[in-house]
Amino acid sequence: MSLRKSLTAFGRATLNRSLVIATRHHRVQALHPTKTNTEDESVDSREYVSYSNKTSIDFEQTKEAYKSKDTLELLRSLVVFKLCSYDILVDKNKEIMDLSRKLLGQKMFEQFMKMTFYGQFVAGEDHQSIRPVVQKNQAYGVGAVLDYMLSCTDHREKFTAHQKFGDRREGVTSTRTYFYADEAKCDQHMETFLKCIKASGGSSEDGFSAIKMTALGRPQFLLQFSEVLVKWRRFFSFLAAKQGKDSVEVLEQKLDLEQLQVRTGFKLRTIISDKLLKCECCILFVPQSMVDMLGWNRLIDERTKISDLLVVPNLQTGELEPLLSMFTEEEERQMKRMLQRLDVLAKHAVENGVRLMVDAEQTYFQPAISRLTVEMKRIFNKDKAVVFNTYQCYLKEAFDNVSMDVELSRREGWCFGAKLVRGAYMYQERSRAVEIGYEDPINLDYESTNRMYHRCLDYVLEEIQQNKRANVMVASHNIDTVKHTLRRMNEMGLPPTDKKVYFGQLLGMCDQISFPLAQAGFPVYKYVPYGPVNEVIPYLSRRAQENRGIMKGVQMERELLWKELMRRLTSGEVFYTPAV
């Protein structure tokens, strides 16, 4: 089964579509990195005023920030955040939980977890039990991104890309990690996601549902396809450098194919055949024999067989060589079924009025995940953004990824949807880079990641200002990033009522950001995990690690919680009950 035929399972053929609409393409202006540690950080968080001075947002007004919480919930938050500040408890959290389970027994252990960590960060065990939490947040203007916690299987596939590929769970602080068992298990995951989409449609207006692509098919396909995409992109960069264009932004790099053949001697008719040069996706570039990165990426689609696709150019000979072992017919069918599952989920999301949030994963899967997400966007994002991709801004290439996808959406006329996060796989990515011997894909430090985040965010905000067809979720607990977003929206005249810019925080964290924003009219969402206690232990472990790792923000949150608790005690509101 060819890649083209398989992608047709999405509902229509997308690979041979003409890019004639690219004549409307305007040159992308490179944005300079945004400084985050200047005078903006010294501004008191109480000071921010937005939108014609009519709406002021006070992030230290605790009465409003915690009006959805009763006093027992405030006390639980203080206890949990305090426990997360002790390194020994965080470092040994798995051993401590295992010991607690043995001493208390399963039933008492689960009750203890629901009174503490589970109750703080998880909404409930199933789509029925989460309703009170979701509906209470909804009553205060905060929506939900639902994510059911699926358990990991012990059937670990041995990937062949590198003998030191290792365990994907090691060093990972993501919500959950999947290992391929069989196609039946993937079907079970799809059914779980379908239930999550239905629950999101029934529990929250304009809600989101999160999916993880490695749960829907054989990761080996994503791994191999990612390697092809990365090698193809690096080959373009290599050729661009030969023409002295490596110092400009990626979308400004355009290859002169005729010049390249004369100067380098590469056998371009082997790499890019006469058929490809005449194909619809390159029609704009043929007269001048010019092609940019997006046109170059489309060339790879013209190779019809997956086993033919898994080849890369040899930079010494100019010939195409096999990248990895060829896919078998069964593997071709597995790939097709993965695409069909994605199609089912996207259609179900449309039917239920839910947006689909595709989670980011490790860098060795992400190129394929992003590529397949774009294929979904081409079909389901025609009129509005239904499918959102997640961009991890701790990656050095984050801005290139965002800018290319935004430009592709301009050329092809679909709505761009993005969630910007800082990232979840830093320790594993860095250790893998050292072990295997390639460049660290992660930004140098936290401040570099902040600059990258703001650069990507500014780019998307400018796109929203220009054509109103882009959407972005600012998924951040960083108060400076939130204030930066509000200031830029104010400068660009982007009102919250347009619902093009969303804010996202995790359930149980940063209520002092979420609820004031929502009460000021901004679209705000809580990331709402749910599932049985034993299946969300890895997620709870991550929450403990993050609370320890971002102590500046958590310390501020603890101070605000104490302030609100003292206010209630002194004002006689200790038995305050939220109105729903």
Side-chain angles (χ1 to χ4, degrees), residues 234-288:
R234 287 178 180 171
F235 187 50
F236 177 93
S237 299
F238 172 83
L239 298 180
K242 287 286 185 179
Q243 296 187 2
K245 300 174 182 177
D246 53 328
S247 61
V248 300
E249 293 290 340
V250 64
L251 284 174
E252 294 299 314
Q253 297 176 0
K254 293 181 175 62
L255 292 182
D256 185 326
L257 299 182
E258 293 181 358
Q259 178 192 109
L260 187 67
Q261 180 144 348
V262 171
R263 293 190 178 183
T264 67
F266 276 94
K267 301 177 182 180
L268 290 181
R269 291 304 180 267
T270 302
I271 299 173
I272 307 174
S273 67
D274 291 330
K275 175 183 177 182
L276 295 187
L277 288 174
K278 296 176 183 177
C279 76
E280 292 178 346
C281 71
C282 297
I283 193 170
L284 289 175
F285 307 111
V286 170
Q288 297 82 22

Side-chain angles (χ1 to χ4, degrees), residues 22-238:
T23 55
R24 297 193 296 269
H25 166 51
H26 57 277
R27 300 191 72 181
V28 179
Q29 300 299 319
L31 294 173
H32 295 290
T34 302
K35 295 182 180 180
T36 62
N37 288 317
T38 58
E39 63 273 11
D40 295 338
E41 292 189 349
S42 63
V43 176
D44 193 316
S45 60
R46 299 174 66 94
E47 192 174 309
Y48 193 81
V49 179
S50 68
Y51 296 106
S52 303
N53 296 321
K54 292 181 180 179
T55 304
S56 62
I57 302 179
D58 185 349
F59 292 111
E60 293 187 11
Q61 175 51 257
T62 61
K63 182 177 181 179
E64 295 301 314
Y66 299 113
K67 67 191 303 183
S68 67
K69 306 288 185 185
D70 62 34
T71 303
L72 284 177
E73 289 176 303
L74 296 182
L75 288 170
R76 181 184 64 195
S77 297
L78 283 166
V79 170
V80 169
F81 291 151
K82 183 62 177 177
L83 290 174
C84 291
S85 69
Y86 294 112
D87 287 346
I88 189 171
L89 296 181
V90 175
D91 295 336
K92 301 293 185 180
N93 72 84
K94 185 178 183 300
E95 292 85 349
I96 292 172
M97 284 190 284
D98 288 343
L99 178 61
S100 299
R101 186 184 289 107
K102 290 180 181 178
L103 294 176
L104 298 175
Q106 184 64 30
K107 186 175 180 179
M108 287 294 294
F109 172 75
E110 291 188 6
Q111 188 61 36
F112 171 76
M113 293 299 291
K114 289 179 179 180
M115 293 172 60
T116 53
F117 292 93
Y118 182 96
Q120 180 71 18
F121 300 119
V122 184
E125 296 199 43
D126 53 43
H127 66 276
Q128 293 293 336
S129 61
I130 68 173
R131 281 182 176 272
V133 173
V134 172
Q135 290 175 352
K136 182 173 71 170
N137 286 344
Q138 188 77 37
Y140 292 93
V142 177
V145 181
L146 296 189
D147 190 6
Y148 185 79
M149 303 288 100
L150 293 175
S151 61
C152 301
T153 177
D154 289 331
H155 297 277
R156 305 179 188 181
E157 182 174 1
K158 294 292 185 179
F159 295 105
T160 59
H162 192 279
Q163 62 181 358
K164 296 182 179 179
F165 184 82
D167 188 339
R168 283 194 287 129
R169 283 183 297 196
E170 183 179 354
V172 175
T173 56
S174 66
T175 305
R176 61 241 189 273
T177 302
Y178 298 101
F179 293 95
Y180 180 78
D182 51 43
E183 291 298 297
K185 190 68 174 179
C186 293
D187 286 335
Q188 292 176 19
H189 291 160
M190 183 188 71
E191 291 298 325
T192 300
F193 289 143
L194 288 173
K195 292 177 181 178
C196 188
I197 291 170
K198 185 176 180 180
S200 183
S203 302
S204 177
E205 183 180 354
D206 293 329
F208 287 86
S209 184
I211 66 170
K212 216 171 183 71
M213 207 169 284
T214 50
L216 297 172
R218 188 168 180 256
Q220 183 74 12
F221 162 68
L222 296 175
L223 179 74
Q224 291 178 303
F225 192 25
S226 291
E227 290 215 30
V228 170
L229 296 172
V230 169
K231 291 289 182 70
W232 193 247
R233 180 169 168 174
R234 287 178 180 171
F235 187 50
F236 177 93
S237 299
F238 172 83

